[in-house]
Amino acid sequence: MDGLTQAIATTRDADPAPCRLISVAPMMAWTDRHERAFLRHISRHVMLYTEMITTGAVIHGDRLRHLGHDPLEHPLALQLGGADPAELAECVRIATDYGYDEVNFNVGCPSDRVRSGRFGACLMLDPPHVARCVKAMSAASQLPVTVKSRIGVDNCDSYAEMLTFVTAVADAGCQTLIVHARKALLSGLSPKENREIPPLRYEFVHRLKEDFPFLEIIINGGMRSLDQAAEQLQHVDGVMFGREAYQNPYMLAEIDRRFFGEQERTPTREEIIERFLPYVSSQLELGVPLAHITRHILGLFNGRPGARAWRRFLSNYARKPGAGVRVIEEAVAGTGDRTFVPAATAVG
């Protein structure tokens, strides 16, 4: 049995969902509820994550706006940003009430806003405190509590320091660690630069799996293809895609067949849109502007003839007053494939 086959078999034999074999990363301003609903119409099995939501927003803000989601989004994890153990624990209890399948603790975000709040990647410099947070979160609910980190911060980027960090969170009850295989630089780089400039060190994450075989180790950072994911699954338990899944979402269409053994043929882009239209209609009826949804589907035809026309049409017309699903139908027709049949529930 090769490594990939064994990884899939092990996942199936384990406890029920959530399955993190393939997942899509939490991305600020991108992985909102409409993006997640769209991705779920492409893959039934990929694990989805919310944008990072701060503990203050969960406890004191509009909970329905921050935490509300469509049942079709599952399996779904809530990612939290914070640093106070009691507040994080309270958020886990709230997440349980909202039906999430997992709570993920962000200790990898290097943005200025996060750093000024003394959470995110800077927490990796204090493993005992992260451990206290994880312990409080784990005690608050039966939900799995996972941690998303970098491989280091600034000059604290040795493997020995990472061992100290992982040991601390594992001893506190964390069984799943999602590791972005770059270190974070807290000064001098923007969040975008922090996703691109520090070199990827996949071997660092592979070594963690070797040293912590009892932990579920998910690798993140620079993932561009399903072939790359298959290669990584020879070394780790799961692969998390980031911006590639957003900018080229159709890459996810093969996941269910290739990694989860589904027998149905891969849906076409047009079929994905047809399936998605009833969701769009339901959101329009709730008063959601069409452009808030269509901004997430602009990359669906990337690499295909008509992709530019698709993006241009949606960008121009989805913002117009009264724009409805007919805008999406006409955008599909403009890609050059006239085989698309509008959903019966389409209006507008």
Side-chain angles (χ1 to χ4, degrees):
M1 181 181 291
D2 63 69
L4 173 58
T5 304
Q6 185 172 9
I8 296 174
T10 299
T11 300
R12 287 175 175 165
D13 292 339
D15 291 336
C19 171
R20 306 177 189 88
L21 191 68
I22 304 290
S23 57
V24 175
M27 292 177 279
M28 294 296 292
W30 285 11
T31 51
D32 66 13
R33 65 183 68 184
H34 306 307
E35 162 70 355
R36 300 190 305 264
F38 172 56
L39 294 182
R40 185 58 71 215
H41 283 83
I42 300 176
S43 167
R44 289 186 292 183
H45 296 286
V46 65
M47 184 77 184
L48 300 177
Y49 286 76
T50 70
E51 305 168 87
M52 183 186 68
I53 304 174
T54 65
T55 53
V58 172
I59 295 172
H60 305 294
D62 183 337
R63 291 183 185 173
L64 184 60
R65 180 169 72 88
H66 291 303
L67 301 180
H69 57 276
D70 193 291
L72 69 83
E73 296 174 39
H74 293 274
L76 177 64
L78 169 67
Q79 188 185 67
L80 289 175
D84 181 89
E87 291 181 352
L88 287 161
E90 176 62 17
C91 289
V92 172
R93 287 188 284 269
I94 294 170
T96 302
D97 293 338
Y98 272 81
Y100 283 90
D101 301 304
E102 170 192 325
V103 175
N104 179 258
F105 183 29
N106 184 326
V107 298
C109 182
S111 77
D112 292 340
R113 182 175 69 87
V114 168
R115 187 167 68 252
S116 66
R118 299 190 63 79
F119 60 97
C122 64
L123 287 176
M124 288 191 69
L125 300 173
D126 189 355
H129 184 71
V130 174
R132 287 191 289 273
C133 292
V134 169
K135 187 173 183 179
M137 295 170 73
S138 298
S141 167
Q142 295 299 310
L143 280 184
V145 173
T146 65
V147 172
K148 189 171 190 295
S149 75
R150 295 289 185 116
I151 59 172
V153 177
D154 293 334
N155 293 324
C156 299
D157 61 350
S158 70
Y159 188 72
E161 287 165 309
M162 189 64 179
L163 281 177
T164 298
F165 172 80
V166 174
T167 299
V169 297
D171 289 347
C174 175
Q175 298 180 353
T176 300
L177 189 66
I178 304 167
V179 186
H180 187 146
R182 290 183 173 96
K183 73 175 181 177
L185 295 173
L186 298 183
S187 298
L189 293 183
S190 68
K192 180 179 185 297
E193 291 169 331
N194 257 297
R195 295 191 297 268
E196 300 171 352
I197 292 178
L200 285 162
R201 299 178 64 185
Y202 292 145
E203 73 284 354
F204 204 106
V205 185
H206 301 168
R207 187 175 172 187
L208 284 176
K209 181 58 187 177
E210 293 173 359
D211 289 339
F212 296 90
F214 53 91
L215 294 182
E216 183 182 32
I217 302 293
I218 313 298
I219 196 166
N220 172 229
M223 298 298 159
R224 295 288 181 265
S225 71
L226 299 189
D227 286 343
Q228 187 180 12
E231 194 283 326
Q232 288 296 323
L233 288 171
Q234 308 294 326
H235 308 282
V236 294
D237 301 298
V239 171
M240 176 176 276
F241 284 95
R243 275 147 182 81
E244 187 68 19
Y246 189 89
Q247 295 164 349
N248 183 26
Y250 193 67
M251 67 168 292
L252 303 178
E254 287 284 345
I255 282 178
D256 291 355
R257 284 177 58 86
R258 183 166 180 177
F259 296 96
F260 293 95
E262 291 283 356
Q263 298 301 309
E264 295 181 11
R265 67 174 178 80
T266 300
T268 66
R269 292 168 175 84
E270 293 76 21
E271 287 169 340
I272 289 168
I273 290 298
E274 183 176 10
R275 295 174 186 177
F276 188 50
L277 286 182
Y279 172 85
V280 177
S281 295
S282 69
Q283 293 301 304
L284 293 174
E285 290 174 2
L286 294 174
V288 176
L290 182 65
H292 289 191
I293 303 172
T294 55
R295 72 185 184 95
H296 297 302
I297 67 176
L298 295 178
L300 180 61
F301 286 86
N302 279 355
R304 281 274 301 275
R308 182 177 298 179
W310 163 263
R311 293 191 299 269
R312 186 190 305 118
F313 192 94
L314 288 179
S315 298
N316 288 342
Y317 290 98
R319 293 181 175 85
K320 292 186 177 296
V325 296
R326 182 62 61 185
V327 170
I328 301 177
E329 294 170 352
E330 293 182 4
V332 171
T335 65
D337 188 334
R338 305 285 177 163
T339 62
F340 173 70
V341 179
T345 57
V347 295

